[in-house]
Amino acid sequence: MPENPTAAQDHAEQDHAEPNHAEPNPTNELSTHGVGPWPGGEEEWPQDAHFDPELLRDGDTRNVIDRYRYWRMDAIVADLDQHRHPFHAAIENWQHDMNIGSIVRSANAFAADTVHIVGRRRWNKRGAMVTDRYQHVLNHPDVADLVAWARAHDLPIIAVDNVPGSVSIETFDWPERCILLFGQEGPGMSVEALAAADAVVEITQYGSTRSLNASAAAAVAMHSWVLQWGRR
């Protein structure tokens, strides 16, 4: 396992998996696909409880699909909770991996149930583009804690790595309920994580590079799961 000089400090802040709840206030994230104030003024505002008066008044520039325009953030999270997919994504974080934010964003795009961050509690959220506010995120201090959580919830762990004995992703039958586990950029997946996996899946490559970027691999694997089990 890669060295983790700040593990003691990070782990002291968290003894068990702890959720990262969505913030209740309207977000300030910006998008090139925003909309202006609701046409017609306040007299024409919809009265449904999930609409946010501030967004109706000022416009909605958030990076959300059209269905959620002008919705309150907590209303979006509640609606997502009604149709999240039953797969989870987990990523090791021993060296403050910059890819974690992008993986959270992909997990949101594919409606993953939860993202599990294993190792350091702090992670770079820039790549998430604020999608972490809509996505359930749990922190685990180490692989053993993730494994215990997975076993308690009857979820097999499927590691994604190109190691000897791995199964090609093109022929793999994904369990409907499972945790997709990814190593961090550079060192790759830890020995402990590979040992804990119920299966290891490899993304077939055709060029000269030995491995894909961690966030790219995560997106490919999530989409592979969706092709087999996703809502139509």
Side-chain angles (χ1 to χ4, degrees):
M1 180 186 301
E3 293 184 2
N4 182 11
T6 61
Q9 177 181 351
D10 288 336
H11 296 174
E13 298 176 359
Q14 174 188 338
D15 294 326
H16 302 287
E18 180 177 326
N20 176 26
H21 296 293
E23 298 180 14
N25 298 321
T27 176
N28 295 319
E29 77 247 41
L30 299 178
S31 167
T32 57
H33 302 286
V35 292
W38 189 273
E42 187 172 351
E43 295 77 12
E44 299 297 326
W45 286 1
Q47 299 303 308
D48 303 82
H50 57 260
F51 285 107
D52 187 317
E54 291 187 21
L55 296 176
L56 293 170
R57 182 193 65 207
D58 301 331
D60 188 353
T61 60
R62 300 173 301 173
N63 182 22
V64 296
I65 61 175
D66 290 344
R67 165 179 168 78
Y68 293 135
R69 287 298 181 198
Y70 304 106
W71 282 37
R72 300 190 331 269
M73 185 183 301
D74 62 323
I76 295 175
V77 174
D79 189 70
L80 288 172
D81 284 344
Q82 299 302 311
H83 59 264
R84 294 187 194 273
H85 286 129
F87 80 87
H88 299 236
I91 175 72
E92 293 189 285
N93 182 36
W94 309 116
Q95 298 179 350
H96 203 58
D97 194 336
M98 299 286 287
N99 287 275
I100 293 178
S102 296
I103 292 174
V104 170
R105 185 178 182 181
S106 293
N108 173 271
F110 293 117
D113 185 289
T114 302
V115 174
H116 302 258
I117 299 175
V118 183
R120 294 182 55 148
R121 179 180 175 82
R122 296 180 180 86
W123 55 281
N124 191 313
K125 297 184 179 181
R126 180 173 298 180
M129 297 293 289
V130 198
T131 53
D132 57 295
R133 299 187 182 186
Y134 307 92
Q135 181 65 50
H136 299 302
V137 178
L138 291 177
N139 293 96
H140 301 271
D142 50 36
V143 173
D145 192 77
L146 172 69
V147 172
W149 191 95
R151 300 296 180 251
H153 292 81
D154 195 26
L155 291 168
I157 296 175
I158 312 300
V160 180
D161 202 355
N162 56 347
V163 296
S166 57
V167 179
S168 171
I169 196 171
E170 289 83 2
T171 61
F172 185 67
D173 290 326
W174 292 100
E176 182 177 12
R177 299 179 65 255
C178 61
I179 297 178
L180 282 61
L181 175 59
F182 306 94
Q184 69 175 16
E185 193 72 20
M189 192 169 297
S190 67
V191 174
E192 291 83 355
L194 281 172
D198 297 285
V200 183
V201 174
E202 175 182 8
I203 298 173
T204 304
Q205 298 171 205
Y206 300 92
S208 61
T209 184
R210 182 183 181 280
S211 63
L212 288 171
N213 171 275
S215 60
V220 170
M222 291 182 210
H223 188 253
S224 176
W225 183 97
V226 167
L227 288 176
Q228 291 187 25
W229 292 106
R231 299 183 310 275
R232 296 293 187 266

